[in-house]
Amino acid sequence: MNQYFEEGEVFTWIKDKDRTGENLIIPLKMVKECHRTGSKQALIGENIRTGKKYFVKVLFCNDLEQVYVEKESKVQLYSPYIIRIYGGMLDDKNKRFITLVEYIEESDLSDLVRNRGIAGDSWNEKMRVCNRIAMKFLLGIEHYMSMYRQDPIIHRDLKPENILASPDGSVVKIIDFDWVHLHASNVTVMQRREQKGTPGYADPRYWNSYICRPEMDIYSAGLVLYFLYTGKHHFYGSEEIKNYMIGDDYAYQLKEMPGIDERLTKIIAKMIAREEDRYSDIREVIRDMKEYLLSSGELPELPELLETSQNQDTIRFSYRIGDVKYSPYVKNYRFVPIIFGTKQERSRNGRMSGHILSFYRFGSKIKALILHEDCHAVKVQKEGEVSEGDLFTYAGINIEILKIKR
């Protein structure tokens, strides 16, 4: 019998050290059950010590092989447009695997578009919000696909229900990496073929195959954009799904989008075209979207972390973690932790992960982004900027900024 968590139950979650070595222990109180069915349970948990909430996903696994193919806990991505996954814990005694995920109080895109509504008093205002959501969504995809160009991460289940978004588009998060293909993963599928993805959003050509290609997510993303801008599923009803699943021309032809600029419809049409005619790189989609939005005066302002200009010069930056000194050359920033962000510069005391704190460059400045709730700024001389002498701390160990030489 599955040992389900009950509301009010207290449980100490300890991250599986075999996966990352990160020392993360969180005392949880289960405050609300969201879902329970068969081998899965989902709850909202609260850190007893800090009050911070988490989304708790539980997989019951009498056969431990299920744990080995459970991949979401391994998705360690740091982007403002991707849900943060803290890791997983195997509770061997109760035969359950518990994944801890960032908790966001926002609706999924399906509920937002159909029930809550996109913010704005006019059509143009609503379109501006849709553009903001679309660009953040695409940049989130670009982030996970760009980690390993030779063998990119593939989500495999992009759909409106797997994107959280606020009515004004200020928050956009891609969620639910249950079916993800990870870099260098040999367990994307189990020994048998598995149907992955959602009918009406997955590329039918790959519905029942071992193949994982970026074009699969680009296809699904195009159908998500169709839903975002029209409020309708592109393929709807049993007869349409039947025709779509054949994988013939019907699955790769864009329906009309009344009121939507023809330049935008051409982009979406190319996203869902047959693979030989489809975008092969999400960066091409982003490029065309930017050109379209810029030409129409509707390109949204996005966070500096993703839109910094390219600089050729370098900054010599040095910092000390405990007794170990590091002096990386900092060029252009992209949203990957500068390690305290690389394996080569990971602290050697066994207590720190490379995903605690990121230093990054923006123009001529060095900035900091705290990625771990137990990491704190102790001394900061300039708001929004890292300076020589600044001090951070994690697990009783100091991270001191020594030199910034331009």
Side-chain angles (χ1 to χ4, degrees), residues 242-267:
K242 178 181 177 181
N243 293 332
Y244 141 89
M245 286 299 295
I246 295 172
D248 208 344
D249 289 342
Y250 189 75
Y252 305 109
Q253 292 182 349
L254 183 68
K255 295 179 180 178
E256 292 185 0
M257 299 176 66
I260 303 302
D261 193 300
E262 183 180 359
R263 292 170 293 177
L264 176 56
T265 63
K266 285 182 178 179
I267 294 172

Side-chain angles (χ1 to χ4, degrees), residues 22-37:
E22 183 178 1
N23 183 22
L24 185 59
I25 302 173
I26 300 177
L28 287 174
K29 179 180 180 181
M30 306 304 177
V31 296
K32 181 180 179 181
E33 184 179 63
C34 304
H35 178 74
R36 178 192 294 196
T37 178

Side-chain angles (χ1 to χ4, degrees), residues 177-234:
F177 286 79
D178 283 350
W179 291 347
V180 68
H181 165 70
L182 286 170
H183 168 70
S185 170
N186 60 0
V187 291
T188 293
V189 294
M190 289 190 267
Q191 297 303 313
R192 65 185 186 279
R193 290 188 177 188
E194 290 190 320
Q195 295 172 338
K196 294 300 185 185
T198 299
Y201 283 91
D203 185 339
R205 183 180 292 185
Y206 299 107
W207 172 249
N208 188 25
S209 76
Y210 292 109
I211 300 171
C212 291
R213 298 172 58 86
E215 289 85 350
M216 298 165 62
D217 276 5
I218 292 173
Y219 178 86
S220 301
L223 295 175
V224 169
L225 293 187
Y226 177 91
F227 177 83
L228 171 65
Y229 285 103
T230 67
K232 300 177 181 178
H233 297 296
H234 192 274

Side-chain angles (χ1 to χ4, degrees), residues 19 57 59 65-77 85-88 97 99 101 153-156 176-190 194 196 212:
R19 292 170 182 261
K57 301 177 74 170
L59 172 67
E65 183 182 358
Q66 290 179 274
V67 174
Y68 302 141
V69 300
E70 196 288 325
K71 301 178 294 298
E72 184 176 37
S73 65
K74 302 175 186 175
V75 179
Q76 300 296 313
L77 300 169
I85 299 168
Y86 293 92
F97 190 84
T99 302
V101 181
I153 294 172
I154 310 297
H155 187 285
R156 300 207 297 164
D176 202 348
F177 286 79
D178 283 350
W179 291 347
V180 68
H181 165 70
L182 286 170
H183 168 70
S185 170
N186 60 0
V187 291
T188 293
V189 294
M190 289 190 267
E194 290 190 320
K196 294 300 185 185
C212 291

Side-chain angles (χ1 to χ4, degrees), residues 51-319:
K52 180 175 179 176
K53 291 182 179 179
Y54 298 86
F55 191 61
V56 185
K57 301 177 74 170
V58 187
L59 172 67
F60 296 94
C61 42
N62 292 323
D63 180 358
L64 291 182
E65 183 182 358
Q66 290 179 274
V67 174
Y68 302 141
V69 300
E70 196 288 325
K71 301 178 294 298
E72 184 176 37
S73 65
K74 302 175 186 175
V75 179
Q76 300 296 313
L77 300 169
Y78 297 89
S79 163
Y81 311 138
I82 297 175
I83 205 75
R84 182 163 180 203
I85 299 168
Y86 293 92
M89 170 190 176
L90 176 61
D91 180 5
D92 192 35
K93 178 182 177 181
N94 295 302
K95 303 295 182 184
R96 57 192 179 186
F97 190 84
I98 305 151
T99 302
L100 217 59
V101 181
E102 178 184 11
Y103 176 70
I104 302 291
E105 291 186 353
E106 299 292 352
S107 302
D108 65 58
L109 194 59
S110 179
D111 182 54
L112 174 63
V113 170
R114 293 193 156 188
N115 299 316
R116 296 183 64 189
I118 298 291
D121 295 327
S122 67
W123 167 263
N124 288 336
E125 289 176 353
K126 291 180 183 294
M127 284 298 294
R128 278 193 285 272
V129 174
C130 288
N131 293 335
R132 188 178 304 122
I133 293 173
M135 286 304 300
K136 292 182 177 183
F137 170 55
L138 293 173
L139 287 165
I141 297 173
E142 194 276 334
H143 175 73
Y144 68 69
M145 283 190 178
S146 68
M147 295 295 97
Y148 311 97
R149 292 290 183 188
Q150 298 303 313
D151 181 21
I153 294 172
I154 310 297
H155 187 285
R156 300 207 297 164
D157 195 25
L158 293 175
K159 57 184 178 181
E161 290 78 10
N162 284 341
I163 295 102
L164 301 181
S166 57
D168 62 357
S170 59
V171 174
V172 176
K173 299 272 187 179
I174 299 172
I175 66 170
D176 202 348
F177 286 79
D178 283 350
W179 291 347
V180 68
H181 165 70
L182 286 170
H183 168 70
S185 170
N186 60 0
V187 291
T188 293
V189 294
M190 289 190 267
Q191 297 303 313
R192 65 185 186 279
R193 290 188 177 188
E194 290 190 320
Q195 295 172 338
K196 294 300 185 185
T198 299
Y201 283 91
D203 185 339
R205 183 180 292 185
Y206 299 107
W207 172 249
N208 188 25
S209 76
Y210 292 109
I211 300 171
C212 291
R213 298 172 58 86
E215 289 85 350
M216 298 165 62
D217 276 5
I218 292 173
Y219 178 86
S220 301
L223 295 175
V224 169
L225 293 187
Y226 177 91
F227 177 83
L228 171 65
Y229 285 103
T230 67
K232 300 177 181 178
H233 297 296
H234 192 274
F235 302 107
Y236 186 76
S238 58
E239 191 63 29
E240 285 201 2
I241 294 295
K242 178 181 177 181
N243 293 332
Y244 141 89
M245 286 299 295
I246 295 172
D248 208 344
D249 289 342
Y250 189 75
Y252 305 109
Q253 292 182 349
L254 183 68
K255 295 179 180 178
E256 292 185 0
M257 299 176 66
I260 303 302
D261 193 300
E262 183 180 359
R263 292 170 293 177
L264 176 56
T265 63
K266 285 182 178 179
I267 294 172
I268 297 175
K270 190 174 179 180
M271 293 176 74
I272 73 164
R274 286 184 172 277
E275 187 172 314
E276 51 269 25
D277 300 318
R278 190 182 308 163
Y279 288 104
S280 60
D281 193 317
I282 194 66
R283 293 175 295 182
E284 298 172 356
V285 181
I286 293 171
R287 178 202 63 203
D288 287 355
M289 280 290 290
K290 282 185 175 180
E291 288 180 359
Y292 155 63
L293 293 172
L294 189 61
S295 65
S296 60
E298 298 295 338
L299 184 64
E301 292 185 6
L302 297 173
E304 63 183 41
L305 297 181
L306 297 169
E307 295 298 304
T308 181
S309 59
Q310 300 295 303
N311 294 310
Q312 297 303 317
D313 59 326
T314 60
I315 294 177
R316 185 62 180 267
F317 173 61
S318 62
Y319 56 96

